[in-house]
């Protein structure tokens, strides 16, 4: 059990509720630096992980060393994910340099294999500051480093505007969550960035860092042992400039009609398209809410946007923070699992092969339109995702297979997948409000039609075009993995 308290530099910080110790070790006085290990919060500014490390470093008279590593063997590693991460990593390093911080990177590959780099870097550190991410491989990697290293490890929440720890840990519904969350928002919207007191770290390192900005990131990614059948997104470029362009477009074009247009999947400008940048932390909610408010799109539009970004996204982060394994089937509401189990043996005339589903070649035109957005763009419009998720229940042999397939497709293809919002939304899609009517296969889980898209002007034509758009022919596994994040990944 972890009983350590925070060192004064972090305990006295106004952002202290974001921080929790992951082990009971004491700060090492002879350390060369404070190690700041980033996995997903890949931004140099408005980043509480970096700020916490700077505070700790200043208190100890030490510089901060920011580290980001990119490995070949994380689940679903592909050209799509690797290019996106590498772009963010390159801009992270440039932003750190501008802040007076050293940032070192390593891209793992056959020609430059390094084992246990985080542990080796931690061996020279006074302490480690890392991210508090409640899912994918990040959580157990952080716990593993904390258990094995001889220095204190502090986990910092960077994903949410309001850190989950300031909310009661017994909230059971979104209504109760909003009642606790909304009054906290104003206080957490203000922040002041920390400045390092010492020059950037320039001492010895246990490896020769990579400088991916100096070569061709495409060639580097092409040389790796990852899934090359999934190319980069057609709509979401990597890096901070692309994120800022999406944010500027959202502020000026999307938000002024957001409350009324958000459900229209036929229009690209009905949604911000920001979720990939949130998932990889290129943008944070604090900065984005400030930009949205500054754009003054109108009260109802701003309120709707805040409800999605803070009311829904942070609700799912809160749920994941409380769950040991937020990505597992057993998180779906018990009544929904029970009613789906009651109908598990029902005939499934609309069952599809994994090959047809993965490639968007099923008998369901609307579903194919949804899936092809994932395939080509690495992103899907919110309104399509609900239909897409519900239909998988009828297309697969059992409720558990439906869960595994939905998570697999989402996590492999979507840039914003492998996220608390992924599993929270799929769980909600598989449950929601119980319907009065008992139906084959679904039991009392409500089904959903495609009318909200099809009935729009030009909706039929849009769906037909979207269902036949050219997409990458990606590799198809023999079966979808079950609980892929718990196995098959080695030491960071
Ligand atoms: C079955 C299903 C699977 C989903 N999988 C994911 C996923 O893997 N990753 C993911 O980030 N979101 C997921 N969502 C939620 C939502 O569909 C996406 O966040 C949204 O479509 C992203 O597009 P956008 O950035 O244009 O959203 P916008 O409408 O512009 O919203 C702005 C931001 O608010 C947040 N947001 C919006 N809707 C939701 C929501 N329902 N839940 C949580 N946050 C929300 C996102 O961070 C988003 O970027 C899923 C929804 C469903 C129904």
């Amino acid at each position: 059990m972890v009983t350590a308290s925070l060192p004064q530099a972090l305990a006295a910080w106004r952002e202290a509720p974001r921080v929790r110790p992951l082990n009971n070790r004491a700060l090492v006085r002879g350390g060369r630096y404070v190690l700041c290990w980033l996995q997903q919060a890949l931004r140099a500014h408005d980043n509480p992980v970096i700020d916490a490390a700077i505070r700790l470093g200043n208190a100890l008279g030490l510089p901060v060393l920011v580290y980001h590593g990119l490995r070949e063997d994380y689940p679903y590693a592909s050209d799509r994910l690797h290019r996106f991460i590498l772009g963010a990593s390159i801009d992270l390093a440039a932003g750190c340099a501008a802040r007076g911080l050293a940032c070192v990177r390593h891209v793992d590959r056959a020609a430059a294999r390094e084992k246990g780099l985080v542990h080796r870097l931690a061996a020279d550190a006074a302490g480690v500051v890392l991210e508090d991410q409640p899912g994918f491989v990040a959580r157990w990697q952080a716990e593993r480093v904390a258990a094995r290293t001889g220095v204190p490890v502090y986990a910092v929440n960077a994903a949410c505007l309001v850190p989950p720890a300031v909310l009661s840990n017994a909230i059971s519904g979104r209504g109760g969550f909003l009642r606790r969350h909304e009054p906290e928002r104003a206080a957490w919207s203000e922040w002041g960035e920390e400045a390092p007191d010492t020059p950037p770290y320039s001492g010895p390192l246990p490896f020769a860092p990579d400088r991916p900005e100096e070569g061709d990131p495409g060639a580097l990614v092409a040389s790796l042992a990852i899934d090359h059948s999934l190319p980069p997104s057609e709509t979401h470029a990597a890096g901070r400039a692309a994120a800022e362009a999406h944010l500027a477009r959202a502020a000026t074009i999307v938000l002024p009609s957001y409350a009324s247009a958000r459900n229209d999947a036929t229009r690209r400008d009905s949604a911000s398209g920001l979720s990939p940048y949130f998932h990889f932390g290129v943008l944070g909610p604090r900065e984005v809410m400030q930009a949205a408010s500054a754009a003054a799109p109108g009260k109802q539009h701003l309120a709707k946007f805040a409800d999605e970004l803070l009311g829904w996204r942070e609700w799912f982060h809160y749920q994941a923070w409380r769950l040991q394994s937020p990505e597992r089937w057993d998180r779906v509401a018990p009544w929904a699992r029970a009613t789906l189990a009651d109908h598990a043996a029902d005939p499934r005339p609309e069952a599809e092969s994994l090959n047809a589903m993965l490639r968007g070649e099923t008998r369901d035109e609307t579903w194919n339109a949804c899936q092809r957005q994932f395939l080509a763009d690495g992103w899907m419009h919110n309104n399509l995702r609900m239909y897409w998720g519900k239909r998988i229940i009828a297309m697969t042999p059992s409720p558990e297979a439906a869960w595994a397939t939905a998570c697999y497709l989402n996590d492999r293809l979507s840039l914003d997948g492998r996220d608390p919002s992924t599993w929270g939304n799929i769980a909600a899609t598989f449950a929601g409000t119980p319907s009065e009517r008992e139906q084959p296969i679904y039991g009392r889980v409500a089904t959903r039609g495609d009318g909200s898209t099809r009935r729009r002007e030009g909706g039929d034509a849009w769906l037909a075009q979207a269902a036949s758009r050219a997409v990458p022919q990606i590799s198809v596994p023999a079966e979808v993995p079950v609980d892929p994040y718990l196995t098959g990944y080695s030491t960071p």
Side-chain angles (χ1 to χ4, degrees), residues 379-438:
W379 174 90
M380 194 197 297
H381 191 281
N382 178 65
N383 197 260
L384 299 180
R385 294 196 200 211
M386 292 183 206
Y387 178 86
W388 174 89
K390 294 261 186 207
R391 289 288 292 142
I392 292 174
I393 297 173
M395 291 179 168
T396 46
S398 69
E400 291 85 352
W403 174 264
T405 304
C407 292
Y408 167 73
L409 297 175
N410 198 127
D411 287 353
R412 180 176 173 200
L413 304 180
S414 191
L415 285 166
D416 64 20
R418 309 154 308 283
D419 188 276
S421 292
T422 315
W423 312 304
N425 273 290
I426 296 176
T429 302
F430 278 41
T433 306
S435 86
E436 298 280 303
R437 204 158 59 95
E438 183 104 9

Side-chain angles (χ1 to χ4, degrees), residues 264 266 448-461 463:
D264 187 352
T266 68
R448 186 184 169 92
D450 58 2
S452 67
T453 303
R454 205 166 273 291
R455 279 196 297 271
R456 290 185 190 277
E457 197 183 333
D460 285 338
L463 280 169

Side-chain angles (χ1 to χ4, degrees), residues 165-221:
V166 302
L167 307 169
S168 154
N169 66 2
I171 302 171
S172 56
R174 201 175 86 98
F177 171 80
L178 292 177
R179 279 193 292 283
R180 302 297 291 253
H181 194 269
E182 281 171 351
E184 293 282 350
R185 291 179 189 172
W188 291 95
S189 297
E190 290 161 21
W191 87 97
E193 221 157 55
E194 305 291 327
D197 291 343
T198 52
Y201 178 74
S202 57
L205 292 166
F207 71 113
D210 280 319
R211 299 187 57 79
E213 66 278 14
E214 288 176 355
D216 172 3
L220 175 60
V221 167

